[in-house]
């Protein structure tokens, strides 16, 4: 399960503060922050603070009232933090949260990589004539009907089992909650639970000393109700997964010209589901989802509504017979930049397959997608072979999706970790070869928050130049850098495309628009 803690425990001797002195739950990617070390003054000289095996500097304020350290700017991930001071021992896991991603982006990306994209790629490959052995041939004719009945059962329920339309109101009435402690600065005459470990910080606040031994304000401990529980996160994940499948089914019905009655039924189900989710107000208060259900809790066992969601979630994941083979998914927060670039790879792959399916192309080979006894798996490689090759028998046009390794100015960068970029090569009889390039970058420029980093743009342009052959400057017709910012033109035929996982459909449509321009 991927879980980022809301706040550090107030019982911890290690707490984080940003540059303004505001307490924060955990460090933010790429930013330094202070670690307040809550130990007696007489033990300051004995403090040892380690991040993993690296010793962090221990400092004191000018008055020697409190000890602190500096958390270095770090990439997203989980880090071990250990305090040693006399008989005091404390170990905690610190989550460094992403700077460029919202929680919705992170959740959508994991859902896309584990569920949506593998299934959509397999479906589009089969539209192009690939034989993957995922769906038995006798069931292929009724695949839309089967998916429709499965989603209808999960949302509306059956005679034997409740669906989400009935379960969400039950959870709304008796939603599982927890109390989270938090610090507030209050006048001393209105305090309830003063946090004495913050006394040095309160004393150092400008203008807070009314008299020599009297404070105007002090840190007070309060508690607030929170819906951020594992069980509610599971409900949100299940809702998002069903919403994604329902949207994909609607798109499938439109493309295959299904009977109008079925299209109307699916639209009605979608409206009912959307209304039920709006009425379940606790969903908007749950900011996180989970990567996978890795444990069973007493709430899931004893509460029938939560148990129904848990069983539905497990059944939903068991339906998929195609998976993405990617080791980085076992530690998604630690591998976030890599997984984002992998997500872009699969988005381009899927958009190419859908576009070619609509234009009548047939699949000749699919090196990235391999079948095995129980289904199929996707394995992204850069071994000199095309990820997929498609041909249009009518026009004779051949399309290859070619992986390649972009140029990195930093020679020390770990090439084994650097994700590949993709080039779409279009060969039409009697016409020049056309190449479309798609690369990805995880970061945006801090000053604007909407533009790619200058060094990323320079590397991208250098990589594009390296693909041009001498004497054929027009070979590359188009190049796109996908990143979590805004659309912008970089150079003639070169642009940056906005690619936020939370808006996956918009990314898909933008890539399809480019592909259709050169394939139609």
């Amino acid at each position: 399960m991927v879980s980022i803690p809301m706040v550090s425990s107030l019982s911890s001797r290690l707490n984080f503060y940003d540059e303004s002195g505001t307490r924060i739950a955990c460090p933010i990617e790429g930013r330094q922050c202070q670690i307040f070390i809550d130990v007696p003054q007489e033990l300051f000289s004995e403090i040892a603070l380690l991040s993993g095996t690296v010793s962090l500097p221990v400092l004191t304020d000018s008055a020697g009232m409190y000890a602190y350290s500096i958390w270095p700017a770090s990439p997203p991930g989980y880090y071990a933090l250990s305090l040693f001071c006399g008989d005091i021992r404390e170990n905690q896991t610190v989550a460094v949260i992403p700077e460029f991603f919202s929680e919705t982006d992170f959740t959508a990306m994991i859902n896309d990589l584990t569920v949506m994209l593998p299934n959509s790629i397999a479906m589009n490959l089969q539209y192009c004539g690939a034989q993957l052995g995922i769906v038995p041939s006798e069931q292929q004719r009724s695949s839309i009907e089967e998916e429709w009945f499965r989603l209808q059962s999960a949302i509306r329920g059956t005679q034997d089992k409740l669906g989400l339309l009935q379960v969400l109101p039950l959870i709304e009435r008796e939603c599982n909650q927890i109390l989270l402690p938090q610090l507030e600065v209050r006048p001393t005459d209105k305090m309830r639970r003063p946090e004495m470990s913050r006394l040095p910080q309160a004393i150092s606040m400008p203008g807070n000393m009314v008299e020599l031994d009297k404070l105007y304000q002090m840190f007070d401990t309060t508690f607030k109700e929170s819906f951020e529980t594992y069980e509610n996160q599971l409900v949100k994940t299940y809702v998002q997964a069903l919403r994604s499948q329902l949207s994909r089914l609607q798109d499938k019905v439109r493309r295959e010209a299904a009977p109008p009655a079925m299209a109307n039924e699916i639209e009605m189900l979608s409206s009912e589901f959307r209304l039920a989710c709006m009425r379940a107000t606790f969903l908007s208060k749950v900011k996180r989802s989970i990567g996978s259900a890795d444990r069973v809790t007493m709430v899931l066992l004893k509460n029938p509504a939560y148990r129904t969601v848990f069983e539905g979630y497990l059944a939903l994941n068991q339906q998929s017979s195609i998976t993405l083979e990617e080791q980085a998914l076992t530690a998604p927060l630690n591998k976030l930049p890599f997984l984002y670039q992998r997500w872009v790879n699969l988005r381009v792959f899927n958009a190419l397959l859908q576009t070619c399916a609509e234009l009548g192309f047939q699949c000749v080979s699919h090196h990235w997608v391999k079948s095995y006894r129980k289904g199929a798996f996707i394995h992204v490689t850069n071994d000199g072979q095309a990820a997929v090759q498609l041909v249009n028998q009518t026009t004779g046009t051949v399309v290859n999706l070619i992986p390649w390794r972009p140029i990195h100015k930093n020679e020390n960068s770990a090439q084994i970790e650097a994700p590949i970029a993709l080039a779409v090569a279009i060969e039409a009889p009697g016409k020049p070869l056309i190449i479309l390039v798609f690369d990805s970058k995880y970061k945006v420029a801090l000053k604007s928050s909407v533009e790619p980093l200058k060094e990323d743009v320079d590397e991208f342009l250098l990589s594009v130049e390296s693909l041009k052959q001498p004497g054929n400057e027009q070979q590359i017709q188009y190049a796109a850098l996908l990143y979590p910012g805004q659309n912008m033109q970089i150079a003639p035929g070169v642009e940056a495309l906005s690619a936020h996982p939370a808006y996956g459909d918009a990314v898909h449509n933008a890539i399809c628009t480019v592909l259709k321009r050169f394939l139609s």
Side-chain angles (χ1 to χ4, degrees):
M1 182 185 73
V2 178
S3 177
I4 302 175
M6 284 291 289
V7 293
S8 305
S9 170
L10 286 177
S11 62
S12 172
R13 294 181 180 273
L14 301 171
N15 292 285
F16 298 92
Y17 290 83
D18 63 17
E19 295 176 350
S20 66
T22 303
R23 188 181 177 197
I24 55 177
C26 45
I28 299 174
E29 173 191 4
R31 299 185 191 176
Q32 287 187 349
C33 65
Q34 288 189 353
I35 309 172
F36 180 83
I37 307 172
D38 183 14
V39 298
Q41 291 182 16
E42 60 269 19
L43 297 179
F44 282 0
S45 61
E46 301 181 34
I47 296 175
L49 191 63
L50 299 178
S51 174
T53 59
V54 178
S55 179
L56 298 180
V58 177
L59 310 169
T60 59
D61 68 315
S62 57
M65 298 294 293
Y66 61 89
Y68 67 97
S69 183
I70 302 296
W71 180 268
S74 308
Y78 291 103
Y79 298 81
L81 185 63
S82 304
L83 170 66
F84 303 92
C85 182
D87 295 331
I88 298 173
R89 299 287 187 275
E90 181 175 334
N91 298 295
Q92 62 172 267
T93 300
V94 177
V96 177
I97 62 174
E99 181 175 17
F100 312 104
F101 267 33
S102 66
E103 186 69 26
T104 305
D105 278 319
F106 183 78
T107 301
M109 184 183 73
I110 299 301
N111 182 65
D112 281 357
L113 289 172
T114 56
V115 180
M116 195 284 289
L117 284 171
N119 282 282
S120 185
I121 287 171
M123 179 182 69
N124 285 319
L125 273 174
Q126 292 180 102
Y127 285 152
C128 293
Q131 299 298 317
L132 300 179
I134 295 178
V135 182
S137 58
E138 64 269 18
Q139 295 180 2
Q140 286 182 359
R141 292 186 299 273
S142 59
S143 60
I144 289 182
E145 288 85 350
E146 287 186 355
E147 192 170 353
W148 154 241
F149 285 123
R150 188 165 58 243
L151 286 173
Q152 182 177 232
S153 299
I155 296 173
R156 286 180 176 160
T158 63
Q159 291 183 348
D160 303 323
K161 197 167 187 177
L162 297 178
L164 273 184
L165 296 184
Q166 298 84 40
V167 167
L168 287 177
L170 296 176
I171 296 178
E172 175 74 16
R173 285 198 294 268
E174 298 181 1
C175 193
N176 185 34
Q177 300 177 49
I178 57 175
L179 290 176
L180 287 179
Q182 61 180 3
L183 285 178
E184 291 185 5
V185 177
R186 293 172 177 265
T188 52
D189 59 346
K190 295 183 179 180
M191 289 189 303
R192 296 182 179 180
R193 301 179 184 86
E195 182 59 37
M196 299 309 296
S197 65
R198 298 293 177 266
L199 181 58
Q201 189 176 353
I203 292 174
S204 63
M205 292 170 60
N208 197 36
M209 292 291 292
V210 180
E211 298 176 6
L212 184 62
D213 59 348
K214 187 175 181 180
L215 294 174
Y216 174 65
Q217 292 180 318
M218 179 59 185
F219 290 92
D220 194 28
T221 305
T222 61
F223 294 87
K224 69 172 182 178
E225 292 183 341
S226 173
F227 292 86
E228 286 292 345
T229 66
Y230 168 72
E231 293 79 13
N232 292 335
Q233 291 170 356
L234 178 64
V235 175
K236 184 158 189 173
T237 301
Y238 186 46
V239 167
Q240 290 175 332
L242 288 179
R243 184 182 293 138
S244 176
Q245 289 205 2
L246 191 56
S247 175
R248 190 165 64 251
L249 179 61
Q250 288 177 301
D251 182 62
K252 195 184 209 181
V253 166
R254 285 192 293 269
R255 284 192 294 164
E256 296 192 5
M262 174 175 286
N264 292 335
E265 279 290 321
I266 295 175
E267 183 61 35
M268 188 180 301
L269 177 66
S270 179
S271 299
E272 293 174 5
F273 187 38
R274 190 162 50 245
L275 180 60
C277 292
M278 291 175 59
R279 289 175 174 171
T281 57
F282 75 95
L283 288 174
S284 63
K285 301 172 184 176
V286 179
K287 303 302 181 184
R288 300 181 179 84
S289 303
I290 61 173
S292 62
D294 65 344
R295 69 181 190 270
V296 179
T297 65
M298 293 305 295
V299 174
L300 295 179
L301 291 176
K302 291 185 175 181
N303 188 307
Y306 281 109
R307 188 170 64 247
T308 299
V309 170
F310 183 58
E311 292 170 352
Y313 175 85
L314 294 179
L316 186 69
N317 282 325
Q318 289 172 356
Q319 292 167 10
S320 178
S321 56
I322 179 168
T323 58
L324 171 64
E325 189 178 83
E326 180 53 72
Q327 184 65 28
L329 285 171
T330 60
L333 188 60
N334 295 65
K335 302 292 185 180
L336 181 57
F338 179 90
L339 285 176
Y340 172 73
Q341 293 169 305
R342 181 67 81 229
W343 174 80
V344 170
N345 291 155
L346 294 189
R347 275 288 176 187
V348 174
F349 186 21
N350 189 46
L352 176 65
L353 290 174
Q354 178 175 319
T355 303
C356 287
E358 293 173 356
L359 297 176
F361 281 76
Q362 293 295 306
C363 180
V364 177
S365 65
H366 44 85
H367 182 59
W368 277 7
V369 183
K370 297 178 172 61
S371 302
Y372 70 113
R373 184 170 56 87
K374 294 183 179 180
F377 65 92
I378 300 173
H379 182 53
V380 178
T381 60
N382 183 21
D383 55 5
Q385 297 191 51
V388 65
Q389 184 180 74
L390 305 113
V391 62
N392 188 311
Q393 301 292 348
T394 303
T395 63
T397 303
V398 177
V399 175
N400 286 282
L401 184 64
I402 305 169
W404 59 286
R405 190 77 67 186
I407 293 175
H408 292 272
K409 290 183 178 180
N410 181 7
E411 296 297 334
N412 296 323
S413 61
Q415 293 300 311
I416 192 171
E417 271 291 298
I420 58 176
L422 295 175
V424 177
I426 304 172
E427 301 177 68
K431 296 182 180 180
L433 174 68
I434 294 176
I435 291 183
L436 316 176
V437 172
F438 297 91
D439 194 7
S440 57
K441 298 295 181 183
Y442 165 71
K443 293 185 177 182
V444 299
L446 293 179
K447 292 183 178 180
S448 68
S449 299
V450 296
E451 298 179 0
L453 294 174
K454 182 180 184 304
E455 52 265 37
D456 286 346
V457 172
D458 291 342
E459 284 188 355
F460 179 58
L461 293 174
L462 185 62
S463 298
V464 170
E465 287 295 325
S466 70
L467 290 179
K468 293 183 177 180
Q469 296 179 358
N472 188 11
E473 293 299 315
Q474 298 302 315
Q475 183 184 20
I476 297 179
Q477 299 290 331
Y478 175 85
L481 176 67
L482 292 96
Y483 78 118
Q486 292 186 356
N487 294 334
M488 62 176 292
Q489 194 75 27
I490 296 176
V494 182
E495 62 181 351
L497 292 181
S498 176
H500 290 274
Y503 303 100
D505 289 343
V507 180
H508 178 83
N509 293 336
I511 299 172
C512 286
T513 299
V514 172
L515 294 171
K516 288 177 181 177
R517 188 194 318 163
F518 293 96
L519 283 170
S520 296

